[in-house]
Amino acid sequence: MAEKQFTVIDEAGIHARPASVLVSTANKFQSDIFLIHKGRDVNLKSILGVMSLGIGSGEEFAIRAEGTDAEDALVELEKTLQNEGLAK
């Protein structure tokens, strides 16, 4: 299992376009991947799940991956967050 904390830096928060990019990236991996925010965790491979959290600018969240390629998934998702200017 791998987990990492992030803070949203995009002024619009995690809205539809970046959420779809994250979901697309997560779906490249076999591991179960979760987005965790305010005690709730959702499947990061589900756009509806991600959008249901309503994560705004300045808020903290975590990504947890469980499975054979969990470390690789977390590294790739972190790169995606940074490249999209979404979180640090």
Side-chain angles (χ1 to χ4, degrees):
M1 180 178 82
E3 184 170 322
K4 183 154 182 164
Q5 293 286 125
F6 299 94
T7 302
V8 177
I9 57 174
D10 187 314
E11 290 182 12
I14 299 181
H15 53 91
R17 191 194 57 74
S20 68
V21 172
L22 285 175
V23 168
S24 177
T25 302
N27 276 305
K28 295 177 184 177
F29 298 93
Q30 292 182 343
S31 291
D32 293 324
I33 305 172
F34 303 94
L35 186 63
I36 305 155
H37 176 65
K38 293 185 178 178
R40 290 184 54 209
D41 61 326
V42 298
N43 184 348
L44 187 52
K45 295 180 180 183
S46 163
I47 188 74
L48 292 176
V50 174
M51 295 301 298
S52 74
L53 293 177
I55 304 174
S57 182
E59 293 188 291
E60 295 183 354
F61 66 94
I63 295 176
R64 182 179 70 234
E66 302 171 355
T68 56
D69 56 0
E71 292 289 338
D72 293 336
L74 198 57
V75 167
E76 190 65 28
L77 286 162
E78 182 174 13
K79 284 181 190 174
T80 300
L81 288 166
Q82 291 172 351
N83 290 342
E84 293 292 316
L86 189 59
K88 62 177 183 170

